[in-house]
Structures are given as structure tokens and as C-alpha cells.
Amino acid sequence: MMPPYKKHLKGSLHFVSHTLPSTPSRGRAGEQTCLALLQACISLRHLLQTTAFIIKSGLQSNPLVLTKFAAASSSLDALEVATSLLFSPHASTHLYDAFLFNTVIRSHAQSDRLGERRLAISYFSAMLRCRLLPNKFTFPFLLKACASLPEPTSVGAQVHACVVKYGYSSDQYVQNTLIHMYSGAPSSLDFARELFDRMPKTSPVTWSAMIGGYVRSGFSDKAVALFREMQGRGIQPDEITVILVLSACADLGALELVRWLGSYVERENIPKALPLCNALLDALAKCGDVDGAVALFEQMHAKSIVSWTSVIDGLALHGRGKEAVRVFEMMKGAGVVPDGVAFISVLTACCHSGMVDEGRHYFDSMKSDLGIEPQIEHYGCMVDLFSRMGMVERALEFVRTMPMEPSPVIWRMLIGACRVHGRLELGERIAKNLLEEDPVQDSTYVVLSNLYALRRQWQKKWETRRAMSERGIRKVPGCSLVELNGEIYEFIAGDESQLQYRGVYEMLEEIGRKIKLAGYVPTKTEVLLDIDEEDKEDALHWHSEKLAVAFVLLKTPPGTRIRIVKNLRVCGDCHAAFKFISKVYDREIVVRDRNRFHCFENGACSCKDFW
């Protein structure tokens, strides 16, 4: 495809020849004229006119002019215009300086396009071929480009070698970007931490780089622990650090820390820029304080589509579908045009609240009203909605009419619906077909194994488990997190080492006795093992969310709200048990599982069984 600027080039040259002196001024005057033109560039057309002037004035070898030209091209997202002149076959690259190359490298490193970011490495090589020495400004730009590549350390390690070779390994700015680059890949995260620990002097930027690495790699607990260490050393976090830690808190469900960060922003008068407000809004909603998120949203003077979508998504996850739909309509009324992500949020809201007609309306309106072509995620929301409402045949028919190949996630939604609504044979057929297409997906093995267990086909269940073992596939264990007095505690299903928290087992026994007296009956069908009924009941005791509840009941005074974050979907037995626990112990229990929030209070759940 021809770059857009090329079709304008001839016309621009003609325009320049009629608007500038027929004999452009040379030397200093011509240079100043050109710099003024570059300063005034506000469009691609202006840039191309100035390109013609540079050529006509014989300034295509002037490093100062070319540096400003490269910067102007970058600001107009027209880097190819700059590089086609700077590195043409007849370019006098031997006259270029390090400042010009740094500008070119920085412009490419900051590009939104992967291909242009890769070119930053090529221009560094060109810089070395021109026998120009890189300086301390070269490497931060270059390492930033490396950090954005799919495999940052493959090239980044070579750049690091150059950092050492040219004597910049002790420069703080270079060290910060080295940490950022290495922390971008989980495989080199430990080395990034090693560099971090060896730094004699750090700044908030240094800490943000390491915390950001942990957040991007999914180690939110380590990110929060490092932030605690940062506080302990008396280093004041800046806006970027706060945003990163809020992201980690959202993952962990650490509401206490989120609220502390909100207070810190107020106390230290940190400017409430839109990205910071959006991060706080998202964290509050994902940590269970959706009312706090809504209150913050209403106070925000400036709102982006991200702000609106975060509120809609938060309300959706809490099962407040009608409110989510109302906010979605308010967004449209405010002149904010919904995008694909906003539609995913409103469809999720319909899904978690059983609003089939509304979901169908919004799905159809994407294309009819806004011309947005539904993507696989939108189709997945509709399949999930039909499945949750027991409309298995309608969900299956919807999948068959999809214009794209259904993803494994969508097929597993259907299998889950078949399990819940008793269509076990259909679920088995779908699962077997899915395994033929994707024989290494652990989730499919698990759901097929569970279907066999429900049908009491134990031999087939064990054959499926053996196939998993032979392929090295392991089921992800249930894990629950609770935040208590600023600390995060983790509980894993069936892990008896949890008994290090003294009294947890005894508390579980007490809970079991009390809720049985209140009418609780264990849902033994959730134990998909060929064992006797007594052992099944015992197995239910060790689910991670029950361990977490027992721990919090032990450690907190009566009436304290219990908040739990679980990595998987909360099981039917725990869901039933928590209703009784909330009533017997007079506690509000808030559980965020893989799909949504459940708020148990006085024997009922906010999900109204749409879960």
C-alpha cells in the first residue's frame, strides 16, 4: 500500500515552488527559515511542503534541520517521511551527529507500531556504522524500544552489553530502563530484581519500573510487597507508582490498600489526572466497593470512555445489571460513543442479571446503530447469557450461526451449561470434539472428567485424568485470598499446611455444626470422586474459600465484613454454605470469583443464582 504522503508529494512540491522564493536563501538564513517552518508544521501537508523546501534549499545534510525534521515527523505520525529523506541512498550520513540519531531512535521507540519500534534497533546499528558514539540519552530510548518487543531480552541483552562496553552501566536513567526492559519478560524478572537490588541510589522511577514488572508478569503480591518496602524506606511514590500499585490491588482484591492510596493522593495533593482517577475507579470496583467507585465517578470533572466502561463493568460484576444499563445509556446521552469494550461490559451486565431481551437488543444495536461488527468476545457474552438462563438449545443454535469459528472458551461455556442443566450427553460430545481440535487444553480435560463423574462413569473419568497426566497437564488448584490488617493471606484447596493458622480446622468444624443446625445440607455432587458419602463431606471442608472464611472469622470481631478473592468459580456447595454462614454468624461475606461478585447477607446472595 502506498504511504499516504507520497500521493501528496508532487502537489506539495508544486505548492512550495509557488509560495517560497524561487531561489531559497542559503546558509544561516535558510536554516532559520526551515526551522520556523518545522515549528509551524501541524499537518502532513505542511510537513511535505517543508520537505520540499529542505531539498530545494540544500539543507538535507544539515544535522540540526534534520533533527527538528525527524521530531516534527514523529509528532505527526509520519516517521517514514523523515527516514525516506534521512536515509536515502544519497544521504550524507557521515555528517550526522549523535543528537540526530538519538531523535530518530526515540521517535521510533515511542511509536505505536511494532514494526517502527523494531527499526529503532536498526538505526542504532546504523549509528555505530557511522562511527558515532552513543551517549547516556541513546540507551534509555533504545531499551524502551526493546522492552516493547514480544521477546524483549533477545535484543535487549545485546543492548545491555553495549551499555557496559560504552561505560553507562552506572547511569541511573540507563539502569531504570534496564530494569524496565528485563522486567518485561517473566523469564528475566529475577535478573531485573537483581539489578534493582544492586542500585546504590534509587528514585520513584526505579521503584515504579520494578513494581510495574511484577504487575505485568502477574506477581501482584510481590508488587504490593515491594511497595510496602518502598514505604518503609521513606520514598514517596509518584503518580505512576500509585497507578501500578492500584492495578496490583485490583488483582488481589486489596481494598484496604486501595482506600489508603486514595487517601494518600488527597493528602499529598497529587494531581488527579484522568489515568490516575480511572485506575482508582477500576480498583475500587474490582475490590468490591462499587458504590465508592460510582461516587468517585460522579465527582470526576473529566471522564473518558475508560471511566464510563469501568463503572459499567463494576456494576456488571456486582450483578447490578439495571444500573449498569442506565449508566450505559447515560454515556450515550453524554455524547460518548460506545466502543467494542463498552459493549462487552453492558452485555456482561445483562448476562449476570439474566436480562436476555436487553442483551439481545444491545448485541443487535452494535451493528445496526453504530456499525460495529461484533467480535468473538461479544458472541461469547451472548452464549454465556443464554447458557446461564438454561437456554441450551438457543445457545447452541447461536453458536452454529456465528460468522466466525467458535473459540474453545465458547464451547466450554456450552459444556458448563450442559452440566448445570442436565444435558450431560450433549456436553460430553462437545467436550470430545473440542479435545480432538485442541488436545493440550487443561480446562477441557477437567470439564470432561467432571461430566463423567456426574454420570458415575468412573473408569472414563480416570482415563481422562490419566491422559492429562501423560501430557503433563495439571488442574489449577482453587486458591483464595483475603486481606487483613494490610497483609494478604493465601489459602489453597486441600492444603493442610493452612493449619499453620492455628485454630482454622477447629473453626471449620464449628462452622459445619452450626450451619447444619440451621438447615444446611452439603452438596455432595460437587465432589466428583468415587469415594463414600462421609469422605465427600469431609472433602468439601477443604475448599479454599471455606478455609479463608474460617480464618477471618477467627481473626476479626463480630460484624466485620469478610472479603475473599478466588481464582476459580465458587462451587455450588460453598455458595450454599456461605448463605448459611452469613446468617448464622451475622456477617456480610463478599466473594469475587473468576466471573463475578457474590454478596452474601442474612442468608441470601446478591447473584440471585445467576452465577
Side-chain angles (χ1 to χ4, degrees):
M1 181 179 178
M2 179 186 293
Y5 74 89
K6 288 192 175 179
K7 65 181 179 182
H8 299 298
L9 187 56
K10 185 175 180 180
S12 297
L13 288 168
H14 177 76
F15 176 84
V16 170
S17 66
H18 284 77
T19 55
L20 294 173
S22 57
T23 305
S25 53
R26 302 283 180 174
R28 180 71 175 170
E31 177 184 283
Q32 292 302 312
T33 301
C34 190
L35 293 176
L37 287 171
L38 288 168
Q39 184 72 26
C41 273
I42 58 172
S43 68
L44 179 60
R45 182 176 179 83
H46 289 153
L47 181 68
L48 295 173
Q49 292 165 3
T50 307
T51 305
F53 180 78
I54 291 172
I55 296 170
K56 198 168 184 179
S57 302
L59 294 169
Q60 62 267 41
S61 297
N62 184 308
L64 177 59
V65 168
L66 294 180
T67 298
K68 297 295 184 183
F69 176 59
S73 300
S74 175
S75 67
L76 295 171
D77 195 23
L79 280 173
E80 192 178 348
V81 175
T83 54
S84 63
L85 177 63
L86 269 64
F87 300 100
S88 70
H90 305 293
S92 302
T93 53
H94 63 285
L95 298 176
Y96 295 175
D97 58 17
F99 189 53
L100 171 55
F101 270 101
N102 283 348
T103 302
V104 172
I105 292 168
R106 179 188 62 191
S107 298
H108 283 80
Q110 294 174 339
S111 172
D112 292 331
R113 292 182 284 274
L114 178 61
E116 289 186 346
R117 296 198 297 272
R118 288 186 188 278
L119 286 174
I121 315 298
S122 301
Y123 290 122
F124 175 66
S125 298
M127 180 181 187
L128 298 180
R129 286 197 298 274
C130 289
R131 301 184 181 279
L132 288 172
L133 292 177
N135 56 35
K136 67 178 183 179
F137 300 107
T138 309
F139 290 110
F141 304 145
L142 191 58
L143 288 165
K144 181 179 179 181
C146 293
S148 68
L149 300 179
E151 296 182 1
T153 57
S154 60
V155 178
Q158 299 176 51
V159 175
H160 189 182
C162 291
V163 167
V164 176
K165 177 180 178 180
Y166 292 105
Y168 293 104
S169 57
S170 60
D171 182 88
Q172 187 177 15
Y173 296 103
V174 175
Q175 287 178 325
N176 289 342
T177 47
L178 277 170
I179 290 169
H180 175 69
M181 186 271 293
Y182 279 115
S183 66
S187 60
S188 58
L189 196 57
D190 289 341
F191 184 67
R193 183 58 189 264
E194 187 179 324
L195 288 175
F196 174 84
D197 290 337
R198 289 208 308 255
M199 285 185 66
K201 184 179 180 182
T202 60
S203 68
V205 175
T206 316
W207 290 83
S208 293
M210 194 65 241
I211 290 170
Y214 281 136
V215 172
R216 291 191 300 275
S217 296
F219 295 106
S220 297
D221 54 340
K222 292 186 177 181
V224 169
L226 189 59
F227 176 68
R228 296 292 194 198
E229 186 179 335
M230 181 182 184
Q231 290 178 291
R233 295 195 189 182
I235 299 172
Q236 296 295 310
D238 58 14
E239 177 189 343
I240 301 301
T241 314
V242 172
I243 290 173
L244 289 168
V245 178
L246 284 169
S247 177
C249 291
D251 183 42
L252 296 171
L255 182 60
E256 290 178 29
L257 182 52
V258 170
R259 287 172 171 167
W260 183 91
L261 287 165
S263 300
Y264 173 81
V265 168
E266 294 285 351
R267 188 169 62 251
E268 299 297 325
N269 293 317
I270 295 177
K272 291 183 180 178
L274 188 57
L276 176 57
C277 288
N278 285 341
L280 183 56
L281 177 65
D282 182 62
L284 284 168
K286 288 181 177 175
C287 290
D289 186 8
V290 69
D291 291 322
V294 171
L296 173 62
F297 175 78
E298 291 173 346
Q299 294 168 12
M300 289 169 61
H301 299 297
K303 299 179 179 74
S304 67
I305 192 168
V306 174
S307 318
W308 288 94
T309 303
S310 294
V311 172
I312 296 167
D313 200 41
L315 291 166
L317 292 176
H318 285 77
R320 293 160 64 167
K322 291 184 178 179
E323 292 174 68
V325 165
R326 186 161 62 249
V327 173
F328 185 81
E329 293 299 330
M330 285 171 57
M331 177 179 74
K332 293 196 296 182
V336 179
V337 180
D339 59 8
V341 177
F343 272 105
I344 290 173
S345 295
V346 76
L347 288 173
T348 300
C350 295
C351 181
H352 289 316
S353 297
M355 300 161 63
V356 177
D357 293 339
E358 292 87 344
R360 185 79 243 191
H361 163 73
Y362 283 119
F363 181 84
D364 292 339
S365 73
M366 289 179 64
K367 192 170 183 178
S368 62
D369 295 351
L370 295 172
I372 299 174
E373 197 68 43
Q375 301 301 307
I376 191 75
E377 295 84 2
H378 303 102
Y379 282 95
C381 287
M382 292 305 298
V383 173
D384 196 19
L385 174 55
F386 294 141
S387 298
R388 288 171 187 268
M389 296 304 296
M391 302 175 179
V392 179
E393 293 298 337
R394 187 172 179 182
L396 189 58
E397 182 60 29
F398 188 82
V399 169
R400 287 172 178 156
T401 58
M402 284 171 56
M404 73 279 288
E405 192 68 27
S407 67
V409 173
I410 287 178
W411 286 119
R412 283 194 289 275
M413 286 178 186
L414 274 174
I415 297 168
C418 290
R419 174 188 168 183
V420 171
H421 299 290
R423 302 292 302 278
L424 302 183
E425 289 186 11
L426 176 60
E428 181 183 344
R429 287 201 304 272
I430 296 172
K432 283 182 175 179
N433 291 337
L434 190 54
L435 274 181
E436 288 179 7
E437 296 177 12
D438 187 7
V440 296
Q441 176 53 250
D442 61 334
S443 300
T444 309
Y445 282 99
V446 172
V447 294
L448 180 58
S449 169
N450 291 345
L451 286 170
Y452 285 140
L454 285 170
R455 299 178 68 186
R456 306 187 71 81
Q457 295 177 337
W458 303 114
Q459 184 61 35
K460 289 185 177 181
K461 171 187 167 66
W462 292 120
E463 286 173 1
T464 305
R465 291 289 182 172
R466 186 166 61 249
M468 288 178 65
S469 179
E470 289 170 355
R471 287 175 169 81
I473 300 170
R474 296 183 60 189
K475 180 182 177 182
V476 176
C479 171
S480 294
L481 303 176
V482 293
E483 180 189 28
L484 201 59
N485 300 323
E487 297 291 331
I488 304 293
Y489 296 89
E490 181 181 52
F491 300 87
I492 299 173
D495 184 0
E496 296 192 19
S497 67
Q498 309 299 326
L499 295 180
Q500 62 179 304
Y501 305 121
R502 189 183 301 274
V504 169
Y505 183 77
E506 290 80 2
M507 191 68 209
L508 280 171
E509 291 293 329
E510 178 194 302
I511 291 170
R513 288 193 301 272
K514 287 188 174 183
I515 62 177
K516 277 185 179 179
L517 289 172
Y520 160 74
V521 177
T523 311
K524 296 176 185 176
T525 54
E526 291 288 339
V527 182
L528 303 176
L529 299 171
D530 187 15
I531 56 179
D532 62 40
E533 296 302 299
E534 186 176 341
D535 289 336
K536 285 185 178 182
E537 186 173 336
D538 186 59
L540 292 170
H541 271 309
W542 295 96
H543 284 192
S544 65
E545 54 267 57
K546 284 183 180 171
L547 291 166
V549 163
F551 176 74
V552 179
L553 284 172
L554 272 173
K555 300 293 183 180
T556 58
T560 304
R561 180 182 291 154
I562 299 172
R563 296 183 183 275
I564 300 170
V565 175
K566 187 177 181 187
N567 64 330
L568 304 176
R569 187 172 181 263
V570 65
C571 82
D573 179 73
C574 290
H575 192 269
F578 283 5
K579 290 181 181 179
F580 284 95
I581 294 170
S582 69
K583 187 171 186 177
V584 169
Y585 287 89
D586 193 24
R587 297 283 193 113
E588 183 181 352
I589 305 172
V590 180
V591 180
R592 187 187 88 190
D593 70 7
R594 185 175 60 189
N595 296 329
R596 60 166 298 153
F597 277 89
H598 302 265
C599 181
F600 301 91
E601 191 171 13
N602 196 30
C605 179
S606 61
C607 74
K608 300 180 178 61
D609 294 330
F610 292 123
W611 61 289

